[in-house]
Amino acid sequence: MMIPAKKQRERYLIDQFLAVTPDFDEYEFAFYDENPDLIYQRGGAQLGFESILVIPTHESRCRLDSATCELQLPLHANIKDNLLTTQLELSRTLFEHLRHYKLPTVIVFTILSPNIQLEQLAAHFALPEVTVHNIVDYFVTNGSRSLKIIKTRRV
């Protein structure tokens, strides 16, 4: 069965995230899905992961080069960016992905920008607690580190 490039990219990003995030030790890939993107399991427990790329520019296309297993950014993606632009992009992409997930799901934002400090972003950006959507956590990662984003209580 041929796996689409988009699914390969999503798995690459989540595997990279899991390698640097001890919260999910021993979770192993189980299968591809759409709601959420990927299902991992540990023992009999399943957990979903939704992979969201955040490129704080107007160009949001990147691809996984299967030969080198590296993400390739568009040539013009090195436009100067800042924290506010990234926060706006995070908000926009989150709302595109809000849906009810069929099992508990972790939303993982992969920040493709060398100029963004993850600590600054995670500490000053809160996202809603959306139990109705079955979202259990939000994380930001740059591939080599990850941090949990603060959740606000929904009243």
Side-chain angles (χ1 to χ4, degrees), residues 57-104:
T57 68
H58 295 296
E59 177 58 66
S60 61
R61 292 180 190 88
C62 72
R63 63 182 182 83
L64 178 66
D65 182 339
S66 56
T68 61
C69 207
E70 293 293 324
L71 283 171
Q72 306 295 317
L73 291 175
L75 292 176
H76 53 289
N78 59 1
I79 298 170
K80 186 179 190 301
D81 53 278
N82 57 40
L83 186 62
L84 178 60
T85 304
T86 303
Q87 288 175 334
L88 292 172
E89 185 68 16
L90 270 169
S91 297
R92 185 186 67 77
T93 56
L94 172 65
F95 288 116
E96 289 174 358
H97 287 78
L98 278 183
R99 60 187 63 94
H100 178 75
Y101 295 100
K102 61 186 172 190
L103 59 121

Side-chain angles (χ1 to χ4, degrees), residues 4 14 25 40 44 65 83 93 95 97 111 131 134:
I14 295 299
D25 281 349
Y40 284 70
D65 182 339
L83 186 62
T93 56
F95 288 116
H97 287 78
I111 310 298
T131 53
N134 215 6

